[in-house]
Amino acid sequence: MRKIDMTDQLWARLLAMRGSACASAMDDGDPAVALYAPIAAAPAGFVLAQVGQSLDGRVATPSGDARDISGPDGIAHLHRCRALVEAVIVGVGTVKMDDPRLSVRAVKGPNPVRVVIDCHAELTGEERLFRDGGAPVILVQGDDAPAKSYKADILRVRPGEGGLDPHDILDALSARGLTRILVEGGARTIARFMEAGLVDRLHVAIAPLIIGSGPAGIALSPIERLSSACRPEARVYALGSDILFDCALKPSDRSASRESQDVRVADHA
Ligand SMILES: NC(=O)c1ccc[n+]([C@@H]2O[C@H](COP(=O)([O-])OP(=O)(O)OC[C@H]3O[C@@H](n4cnc5c(N)ncnc54)[C@H](OP(=O)(O)O)[C@@H]3O)[C@@H](O)[C@H]2O)c1
């Protein structure tokens, strides 16, 4: 397991790489560079999904209390990821349940554009992200959603049988210049992007608490046998308060696969 020791100087270098497509030029063997440079310098079309969960795989209590699952270093990690992308996406369920700000507060860095998938225009317009004066908000709605007034840009996407196609959502965001994306939840939203094959990397940050019951962070379609389970190549990082699994979901992400094998061999030695 590799330990992340972030310094102000290193973080400033990573922020300066944002959107530069030069990750390899900075790969100096530092675990923080290995973790964050591929996000900072990702090519257009890059999608990171992130879940912060308990030891028993929960992201909230059954009544929906989701605050403070991640420890301080897990939160700093999430905010670094927000600062390195151009837009953060959540589903309407997360906004209704958590009323999040989706801003960068735990570290220095720019706030991403906030994107909410609200297919049927369920939000009232009174939610915090419309009123906090923060980064711009984009609502992604079906083109048959009822017209309501929001302090946000509305992106209309034609719904298919299963809702809005994540490819169409990314295309619409790309047309607005938003091409490096963090999908932050909840479970159904991450699952839709994963099942569409659009997630390059999945970060699962695990905090040392046991909730016992409650929703999980990813809600993929059920499988019969473990042989069908997704077993991504993963690097493991000690963030401090939390442990992070950095999973390469796309087979083309060979650099992560190679490095993960190297790390595993080193750990056995
Ligand atoms: N710990 C974490 O990292 C983290 C982060 C964020 C949220 N959360 C937790 O996750 C929970 C909310 O998760 P959730 O799964 O209920 O809600 P969600 O994923 O935020 O939102 C789900 C809603 O969005 C719709 N939706 C998503 N993608 C869509 C698409 N492509 N087309 C049409 N509709 C789409 C879903 O429709 P369908 O029902 O038709 O799929 C559903 O109505 C909360 O408890 C929150 O605290 C945890």
Side-chain angles (χ1 to χ4, degrees), residues 13-169:
R13 284 172 65 203
L14 286 159
L15 274 181
M17 287 176 62
R18 200 173 170 271
S20 66
C22 65
S24 55
M26 198 184 161
D27 193 353
D28 55 11
D30 187 307
V33 174
L35 177 59
Y36 295 111
I39 304 168
F46 174 80
V47 177
L48 167 70
Q50 127 91 36
V51 176
Q53 66 177 44
S54 64
L55 285 175
D56 54 337
R58 317 285 175 178
V59 296
T61 65
S63 63
D65 184 3
R67 300 273 170 214
D68 300 329
I69 286 192
S70 296
D73 299 308
I75 290 174
H77 167 72
L78 172 61
H79 286 213
R80 282 183 205 121
C81 292
R82 287 178 181 169
L84 292 177
V85 298
E86 292 161 345
V88 54
I89 296 179
V90 293
V92 63
T94 295
V95 176
K96 289 205 291 193
M97 191 72 85
D98 299 349
D99 207 11
R101 279 177 279 181
L102 304 174
S103 58
V104 176
R105 302 182 301 280
V107 299
K108 281 188 183 157
N111 290 310
V113 172
R114 301 172 289 180
V115 180
V116 183
I117 302 174
D118 183 14
C119 192
H120 307 294
E122 293 173 50
L123 295 181
T124 63
E126 291 304 309
E127 292 78 7
R128 178 158 57 176
L129 79 177
F130 298 118
R131 297 182 286 109
D132 64 4
V137 179
I138 295 178
L139 280 182
V140 184
Q141 299 180 337
D143 62 6
D144 54 355
K148 288 187 187 175
S149 168
Y150 293 103
K151 210 173 158 199
D153 281 344
I154 310 288
L155 258 179
R156 296 268 182 172
V157 174
R158 185 177 296 273
E161 265 180 32
L164 309 180
D165 185 333
H167 290 91
D168 294 341
I169 296 172

